[in-house]
């Protein structure tokens, strides 16, 4: 069975947790190792014993990392979680192991590789979609890994108020929302989505979990 390292998050009482919906989604296909924040050099054993990394959802990234002032609508993630996410992306990437990003995960990945974010969609982007809770269509981009599984538009959920603005140079865009926002990125080693495949209907979950497994096993697509 494949092994995947999975980022934890922190509750208000400072205890760490792993969202159970991710566990239900991943556990039939992966042995899951939840990761707690620690010193950066202590992640190497995690990299060595796992096939891949999944950066999950969470709160907002400090805009200092993409050279912006803090917006009043930005809800900063705990600094220990922040440093963990970035350290894991760095170490898995340099170990040439696949990385999957979901929701906050796609934003962490894009910012780590010098892309930028929209800090608050409602106040800065003209759209009729409420990205905090509306479902909407996305346009799958041709000649991408994602297009091998979805040839046309698909409906996705939406639980975010931030989004990719400038895409980091190393990525191809694989999905664009109907209002023009970037919803997915990929390259030979990284696959990331702004929506939550683990919260979709069972049929869509099955497609996405097989897509993720295939990517991890055959990630040198480009």
């Amino acid at each position: 069975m494949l092994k995947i390292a999975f980022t934890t998050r922190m509750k208000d009482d400072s205890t760490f947790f792993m969202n159970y919906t991710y566990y239900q989604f991943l556990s039939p296909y992966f042995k899951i190792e939840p990761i707690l924040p620690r010193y950066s050099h202590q992640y190497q054993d995690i990299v060595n014993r796992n096939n891949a990394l999944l950066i999950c959802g969470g709160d907002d990234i400090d805009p200092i990392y993409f050279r912006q002032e803090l917006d009043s609508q930005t809800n900063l993630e705990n600094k220990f979680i922040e440093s963990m996410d970035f350290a894991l992306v760095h170490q898995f990437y340099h170990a040439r192991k696949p990385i999957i990003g979901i929701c906050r995960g796609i934003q962490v990945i894009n910012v780590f590789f010098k892309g930028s974010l929209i800090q608050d969609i409602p106040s800065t982007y003209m759209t009729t979609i409420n990205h905090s809770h509306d479902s909407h269509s996305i346009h799958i981009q041709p000649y991408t890994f994602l297009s091998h599984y979805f040839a046309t538009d698909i409906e996705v959920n939406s639980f975010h108020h931030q989004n990719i603005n400038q895409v980091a140079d190393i990525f191809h865009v694989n999905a664009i929302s109907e209002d023009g926002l970037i919803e997915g990125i990929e390259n030979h080693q990284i696959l990331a989505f702004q929506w939550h495949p683990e919260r979709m209907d069972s049929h869509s979950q099955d497609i996405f979990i097989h897509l993720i497994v295939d990517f991890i096993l055959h990630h040198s697509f480009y």
Side-chain angles (χ1 to χ4, degrees):
M1 179 176 280
L2 290 170
K3 298 178 181 179
I4 191 164
F6 186 93
T7 54
T8 55
R9 295 298 180 238
M10 184 182 285
K11 296 180 181 179
D12 291 339
D13 64 0
S14 298
T15 58
F16 295 99
F17 72 99
M18 173 181 169
N19 192 306
Y20 189 62
T21 56
Y22 288 102
Y23 179 81
Q24 289 178 306
F25 179 60
L26 296 167
S27 59
Y29 294 89
F30 294 96
K31 182 178 179 181
I32 302 166
E33 181 174 359
I35 309 304
L36 299 175
R38 60 190 74 185
Y39 292 110
S40 181
H41 69 274
Q42 295 177 326
Y43 292 120
Q44 192 56 54
D45 60 329
I46 295 167
V47 176
N48 292 341
R49 64 176 174 259
N50 283 280
N51 300 103
L53 168 69
L54 191 147
I55 303 285
C56 70
D59 288 329
D60 300 331
I61 298 167
D62 191 329
I64 193 171
Y65 290 108
F66 48 97
R67 300 164 300 282
Q68 290 183 15
E69 297 291 328
L70 182 67
D71 186 278
S72 62
Q73 300 302 311
T74 296
N75 181 26
L76 293 178
E77 182 58 87
N78 178 276
K79 65 180 180 179
F80 298 110
I81 296 292
E82 193 103 292
S83 61
M84 173 186 69
D85 285 358
F86 285 131
L88 286 168
V89 170
H90 173 80
Q91 295 192 30
F92 271 83
Y93 186 75
H94 286 282
R96 300 182 179 179
K97 291 192 172 183
I99 301 169
I100 309 297
I102 294 176
C103 197
R104 170 184 161 86
I106 190 175
Q107 298 169 10
V108 167
I109 290 165
N110 187 58
V111 168
F112 178 84
F113 290 102
K114 308 305 181 187
S116 67
L117 301 179
I118 298 170
Q119 285 193 62
D120 185 57
I121 296 169
S123 61
T124 58
Y125 190 82
M126 293 290 293
T127 180
T128 59
I129 299 171
N130 185 335
H131 284 270
S132 294
H133 61 73
D134 288 351
S135 62
H136 59 83
S137 293
I138 57 171
H139 308 303
I140 305 299
Q141 301 303 288
Y143 311 112
T144 59
F145 185 85
L146 197 60
S147 69
H148 289 198
Y149 297 83
F150 301 98
T152 58
D153 296 357
I154 62 171
E155 191 81 2
V156 298
N157 52 42
S158 197
F159 301 100
H160 59 102
H161 79 109
Q162 297 199 333
N163 206 90
I164 287 178
N165 184 16
Q166 295 294 323
V167 182
D169 291 341
I170 71 167
F171 295 117
H172 302 267
V173 174
N174 59 26
I176 299 174
S177 67
E178 60 186 272
D179 60 358
L181 291 173
I182 294 163
E183 293 258 343
I185 56 175
E186 62 181 55
N187 67 12
H188 66 286
Q189 193 178 338
I190 294 172
L191 182 65
F193 318 113
Q194 186 58 69
W195 66 93
H196 285 263
E198 81 284 359
R199 299 190 195 180
M200 297 176 78
D201 63 83
S202 58
H203 174 69
S204 297
Q205 283 188 32
D206 287 344
I207 296 173
F208 272 102
I209 198 69
H210 283 96
L211 180 159
I212 290 169
V213 169
D214 285 351
F215 184 78
I216 290 170
L217 291 173
H218 310 290
H219 59 276
S220 56
F221 173 70
Y222 292 98

